[in-house]
Amino acid sequence: MPARGKSSRTQTRSAKSREKEDNLLAVITDDSNGQEYYVSVVDVFEFRKQEYCVMYHYRPEASSRHEPEIVLMRSYRGADGSRYFCSIRSRKELDLVFELFYQRYSNARE
């Protein structure tokens, strides 16, 4: 499974996302180019006082032939309560966070 951030900074645009932590679908907008991404949230967890969000790019038109692309991003709340996401630029941090997610996912399936 590939693991990577989609943009340097994105903001959720769904009001429901801001109200419900367990919301599974969200629309995030890349601040640098305005492009919107539909994502499905898989997991949110904290590690070393930093919150991380694991999601996959939701493509309603995609056929079953496509492998889902896992996206790992840092997550935080702005002063206004909006949720923001930042790419993980350090390969070491990305590998570590992906391993933590994979362990959490494996343990949940047992």
Side-chain angles (χ1 to χ4, degrees):
M1 289 183 207
R4 63 181 183 164
K6 288 301 251 182
S7 64
S8 59
R9 183 171 157 236
T10 52
Q11 175 184 6
T12 53
R13 299 240 342 222
S14 169
K16 290 181 182 176
S17 300
R18 282 186 246 146
E19 295 170 10
K20 276 183 88 176
E21 290 295 321
D22 61 346
N23 203 10
L24 293 179
L25 291 175
V27 178
I28 57 176
T29 303
D30 186 326
D31 284 349
S32 65
N33 63 18
Q35 186 170 353
E36 291 184 338
Y37 298 93
Y38 295 86
V39 295
S40 181
V41 176
V42 176
D43 193 12
V44 177
F45 62 94
E46 191 172 307
F47 176 67
R48 295 183 180 162
K49 299 182 182 180
Q50 173 63 59
E51 185 174 86
Y52 293 93
C53 185
V54 182
M55 52 193 122
Y56 68 90
H57 193 175
Y58 177 76
R59 295 182 185 119
E61 73 284 347
S63 69
S64 59
R65 297 184 308 249
H66 292 62
E67 300 248 344
E69 179 181 275
I70 296 293
V71 180
L72 285 159
M73 300 183 95
R74 289 188 199 114
S75 174
Y76 65 94
R77 291 237 181 239
D80 64 354
S82 295
R83 180 175 295 273
Y84 292 88
F85 301 97
C86 293
S87 295
I88 301 170
R89 302 237 183 246
S90 162
R91 186 64 186 187
K92 185 177 180 179
E93 178 186 5
L94 184 61
D95 289 344
L96 178 61
V97 172
F98 180 78
E99 185 61 34
L100 290 170
F101 161 69
Y102 189 76
Q103 287 173 3
R104 289 169 53 86
Y105 178 77
S106 295
N107 290 341
R109 293 183 53 176
E110 293 176 356

